Amino acid sequence: MEESEGAWLESKREQRKGRAWTMKKKFRFQWGAFLMFLIYGGLFFLLFGRILFIQVTGQAEGQVMAKLAESKYARESVLKAERGTIVDRNGELIASDTLSYRLIAILSEKASKGSKKPLHIIDNEKTAEVLAEYIPLEKEAILSRLNEAKKTGKYQVEFGKAGRDISNETVLAIKKKELPGVVFIEDQKRFYPNGVFASYLIGFAMKEEDADKNISTVGKMGLEKTYNKELSGSDGKVDFEADGFGFMLPKAEKAIVAAKDGFEIQLTLDKTIQNFVEDAMNQVENEYSPKKMVAVVADPKTGQILAMSQRPAFHPDTREGLTENWLNEALETTIEPGSTMKMFTLAAAIEEKKWDGGAYFQSGQYTIFDKTIRDVNRTGWGTITYLEGFQRSSNTSMAYLLERVGDKTFIEYIRKFGFGDKTGIDLPHEASGVILDTYPSERLTTSYGQGSTVTPIQMIQAATSIANNGVMMKPYVIDKITNPNTGEIVKDKKPEEHDSPISAATAKKVREILASTITGEKGTGKKFALNGYTVGGKTGTAEIPNSLGKGYLSGGGNYLYSFLGMAPVDDPQLITYVIVQQPKLKVGKTGSDPVAELFTSIMDSSLRYMNIVPNGEEIVKPTVVRDYTGKDSADASTKLKEDGFVPEVIGEGGKIDIQYPVAGTKLVEGSIILLQTKGVTALPDFTGWSKKMLLSYKMLSGLDLRINGDGYVTEQSLSKGSVIGLDDPVVIKLESPSEIYKPVEEDTEEESIVGG
C-alpha cells in the first residue's frame, strides 16, 4: 500500500515538472517571428499609406494618375493628307501622289512566336543579297544595317531613302523571293506621269525627314516649291483608347480630325502642246547637241502660257539630267536677243509715222561717233529699200530708222513694251533685264538687239501687242487653284491687259512686214514657213557675252540663234519663241536650221491640234448629234452614218445604254460616236483616234488599254475584231501630228554671223 502511494506521488511530481517545463518552453520569446512581423507589417502600412495618398490626391510621382492611364491606353492613328495635284488646262494630270511602298525588315524572333513559319529574317546574308537587286543600296550596306540592328536588339529596321517609294512591280518581284521578315507598308510618293515635261516650270517634290523623324513630301523646285504650302495640305488623326494589344477599349470615345488634302493647281499649259514642244526639242537636241534651248508658246489673246520648256532638262521622278543650274531660263536668266528685237523697233517707227518701206538707204555700215556697226555680210547690199533692209535683217537699216524716230523716243517705246521691267508672271525669281540708255551708241545697238538684255517671257509679252491688235497681255501660268476639300476656287486668274504702245493699225502693219520676211524673195525666214498657215516673225542671231565679262565669244556656231513668230498672221492664235544656243552644225547647215526645225514642228502640230483651218481648206459646218440612248444600236448606226458620223459599238449590240459624245454636241463629218451596249467587246481599229476619244472608249468599255504617247493612234498590239477579257492588256501607241504632217522645207540664203 505504501509503495503504491509512493509511486503515485512520484508520478505526480514528474507530471508537475513536465507541466512546468512545458510552460517554460511555451512562454519562450520568438525573436524571428517578431522581426518578420515588423518587416511585413511595416510594408503593409507603407503600401496602405501610399494607396491612401494616391486615393486622396490622385497623383503618383508628381503626375496625375488619370493622365498616366490615358498615356498607357491612348492611341493616335495618323490620317495622311494627299499632296495636291497639278493638272493642265484640260484637267490632264501633270503631278500627283501615287501608291508606293516602304520596306521594313523584321529581326526579332518575337515576331515568329506562335507562327508555324518564320516571320523574322533568318538569313541576313541571303536577304541582303536579294534586296540589293531591287533597291538602290549595295549588299554590304544592307547586310551591315541588318547585322547592326540585330546586334543591338532592334525589333525591326528600315533602309532610309533606298527603302522608300518602292513601286508595286518591285514589291511583287521581291515577294516572289519569299524572304521571311521582309514586309511592305503602303505609302505615297510624288508621281510625274509625263516624264521630261516642263521640268523647270513644274519642278519636283521629294520625301524629307524633319527633326522629329516625321517624313513628308516637300517641294524642292519650280511650282512644287513655290506653291508648297498650298499643295501640302494637313494630316488628320484618329484619337482613341486601346488595350495593351492596341485594340480599342469597349465604349471608348473616338475623336476624328479629318485630313485636309492639298489644293489642286490648274495650269494654263496644254499637255498636248507641251508634248509637241518636248518632242521637237528632243529631236533637235539629238541632231545638234546645243548647249541650251528654250521654247515658250503662248496664247496672244489671253497671255496664257501654253507650253514652256528648256534643255538641258531632267526627269522629275528620278532627277536624272538635273544639273547645278536650277533656273527657269524663260524668266530667270537674261539674254541679248539679237535681231528679234527689230520687230519692236519697226513697231515704234510705224506708230510714230516714220516708216516708209519704199524709201532707200545705203546698207553696209553706219558710224556713230567712234563706233561703227556693220551688216551681217560686212559689205551690205548697196542702196536698198527699208522694207528689203528689214527682210534681210540689216543692222544699218535700224540705225537710219532710229535717226527718223529719235533714239530717246525709241527707248521710251522699248520700255512701254515692258523691257527693263518684270512682266509680273506668277512665278518667282523673274529677272528684269537691263536696257542700256546712257550713250547714243547703246540706244543704237539696242535697236537691233545687242547690248541690252531681256528675258524670253518679256519677248512673249511684247509680241502679244503685235499679235493681239495693239493690246498687250500679261503672261501667266496659273489658271486656278481649287480646294478639293470644299470645292472652293481659291484663286481664279483672268487675262490681264497691259498698256500697249501701239495701235491696232500699227500691229496689223507690223504683222504684214513680219510675214514678208518669210514669203519675200529677200526674206531671211523662208525656212520658217508652214504648210497651210501664214507665219509672221523675225529671226535672230545674237553674240554671246564672254564669261570673263569682256567682249563676246567668237568662232563658228558660238551664237544664240532664235525666232519669234506668230500664226496665222491675219489673226494670230499662237506666239512661239524658240532659242538654240551654240548648236553643233554639220557641213552645209546654218544656225537657223535647228531653230526652224524646232519652230515649224511646234507650230504646225499645235495649230492643227487646235483645229485652226489651214489656208485653202473649206470650213466644215458641224452637225448636231441626236439622242440615241435606249435605241437599237443597229438602227442608230445607220442613222449616224447618214449624218456623216462614224459609229463604234461597244459590247455585243442591242439597246444603247450610253452614247458619247452626248446628244446636242456639234461635230464635224467623220467624227466618232461611241455607243455602249451590254456584252463582250470586239476591238475596233483605233488607227487615227485621238487620245481623248481613246480614253472615253477605255472608260465605257472597261478594257485595259495601255496608252503610250500623245497625239493620234498609230499602232495597237491586238488587231481589229479581237475579243478579249477586261484583264487582258492592249498596248496602244500614239504619235504627235508632227510625225504625220511634215512642214515645208525650203533652201534659202542664210546669214551665219550677227544680225540675222
Side-chain angles (χ1 to χ4, degrees), residues 79-353:
L79 302 176
K80 295 294 292 182
E82 284 196 11
R83 188 172 177 85
T85 56
I86 301 176
V87 298
D88 84 335
R89 62 188 299 148
N90 299 311
E92 292 274 354
L93 193 63
I94 294 175
S96 71
D97 279 356
T98 189
L99 177 66
S100 67
Y101 294 88
R102 196 170 82 245
L103 188 154
I104 297 176
I106 308 297
L107 297 164
S108 175
E109 296 181 4
K110 294 178 182 178
S112 302
K113 188 175 182 180
S115 174
K116 293 181 179 180
K117 61 179 182 179
L119 300 178
H120 68 286
I121 291 178
I122 303 297
D123 188 338
N124 286 5
E125 180 85 21
K126 179 183 177 182
T127 301
E129 184 177 347
V130 173
L131 291 181
E133 297 177 16
Y134 297 99
I135 66 174
L137 204 60
E138 296 294 329
K139 173 188 172 182
E140 292 72 20
I142 298 173
L143 185 59
S144 174
R145 192 167 296 194
L146 292 175
N147 290 338
E148 181 65 24
K150 193 168 186 177
K151 182 180 178 181
T152 55
K154 289 185 177 180
Y155 185 87
Q156 66 187 46
V157 68
E158 296 189 40
F159 300 94
K161 182 181 178 181
R164 295 196 294 264
D165 295 344
I166 299 175
S167 68
N168 184 58
E169 289 78 9
T170 302
V171 169
L172 293 176
I174 295 175
K175 284 184 175 180
K176 285 182 180 179
K177 301 296 183 179
E178 297 183 346
L179 297 174
V182 174
V183 298
F184 298 93
I185 305 297
E186 285 191 6
D187 201 359
Q188 292 178 337
K189 74 168 184 176
R190 203 61 171 163
F191 177 53
Y192 303 92
N194 305 300
V196 178
F197 182 96
S199 303
Y200 283 83
L201 171 62
I202 307 302
F204 66 91
M206 59 189 294
K207 292 285 181 61
E208 204 171 69
E209 189 174 81
D210 62 20
D212 298 324
K213 303 297 182 181
N214 296 316
I215 298 172
S216 59
T217 302
V218 179
K220 307 300 291 183
M221 178 185 180
L223 292 172
E224 290 275 27
K225 180 179 180 180
T226 304
Y227 292 91
N228 185 65
K229 181 179 179 181
E230 291 84 351
L231 288 165
S232 292
S234 57
D235 291 341
K237 61 181 179 178
V238 179
D239 290 325
F240 58 93
E241 292 182 349
D243 60 20
F245 297 98
F247 294 106
M248 188 172 175
L249 294 173
K251 299 182 180 180
E253 292 185 0
K254 180 167 67 174
I256 300 176
V257 178
K260 294 181 179 179
D261 293 337
F263 292 172
E264 178 184 87
I265 297 180
Q266 185 164 13
L267 306 181
T268 60
L269 293 189
D270 187 298
K271 180 180 174 182
T272 301
I273 295 177
Q274 182 70 43
N275 277 320
F276 292 153
V277 170
E278 302 296 352
D279 291 344
M281 294 186 96
N282 288 340
Q283 292 170 14
V284 171
E285 185 174 38
N286 291 335
E287 185 172 352
Y288 296 95
S289 302
K291 186 173 181 179
K292 286 183 182 180
M293 284 193 290
V294 178
V296 182
V297 183
D299 179 351
K301 312 291 186 186
T302 63
Q304 292 182 338
I305 302 301
L306 304 178
M308 178 184 287
S309 193
Q310 66 191 65
R311 292 293 184 276
F314 67 93
H315 194 304
D317 271 330
T318 63
R319 266 76 72 191
E320 181 181 356
L322 184 61
T323 66
E324 66 277 2
N325 175 33
W326 283 34
L327 300 178
N328 185 336
E329 301 276 355
L331 60 124
E332 294 183 59
T333 60
T334 60
I335 58 170
E336 293 185 22
S339 293
T340 50
M341 183 64 98
K342 291 174 182 175
M343 70 167 66
F344 306 110
T345 306
L346 172 66
I350 294 174
E351 185 69 19
E352 286 291 305
K353 296 180 174 53

Side-chain angles (χ1 to χ4, degrees), residues 375-420:
D375 282 323
V376 62
N377 65 354
R378 316 298 289 180
T379 59
W381 305 271
T383 302
I384 59 175
T385 65
Y386 278 93
L387 178 59
E388 183 180 339
F390 189 84
Q391 292 171 346
R392 288 186 180 277
S393 199
S394 167
N395 291 342
T396 57
S397 71
M398 294 297 104
Y400 286 111
L401 201 58
L402 201 63
E403 285 184 359
R404 294 185 170 203
V405 174
D407 59 352
K408 292 187 177 180
T409 300
F410 162 71
I411 290 296
E412 289 177 9
Y413 273 92
I414 289 300
R415 295 197 181 280
K416 287 178 181 178
F417 273 118
F419 297 111

Side-chain angles (χ1 to χ4, degrees), residues 366-374 439-442 444:
Y366 179 94
T367 301
I368 179 171
F369 298 114
D370 61 342
K371 185 176 181 64
T372 299
I373 65 166
R374 292 179 174 83
Y439 304 105
S441 60
E442 292 176 337
L444 171 59

Side-chain angles (χ1 to χ4, degrees), residues 404-459:
R404 294 185 170 203
V405 174
D407 59 352
K408 292 187 177 180
T409 300
F410 162 71
I411 290 296
E412 289 177 9
Y413 273 92
I414 289 300
R415 295 197 181 280
K416 287 178 181 178
F417 273 118
F419 297 111
D421 291 319
K422 297 177 181 180
T423 66
I425 190 172
D426 41 5
L427 294 170
H429 314 306
E430 182 184 6
S432 57
V434 176
I435 301 302
L436 300 181
D437 185 23
T438 304
Y439 304 105
S441 60
E442 292 176 337
R443 293 188 278 273
L444 171 59
T445 57
T446 296
S447 71
Y448 56 84
Q450 188 173 330
S452 293
T453 58
V454 303
T455 64
I457 203 67
Q458 286 176 335
M459 296 292 282

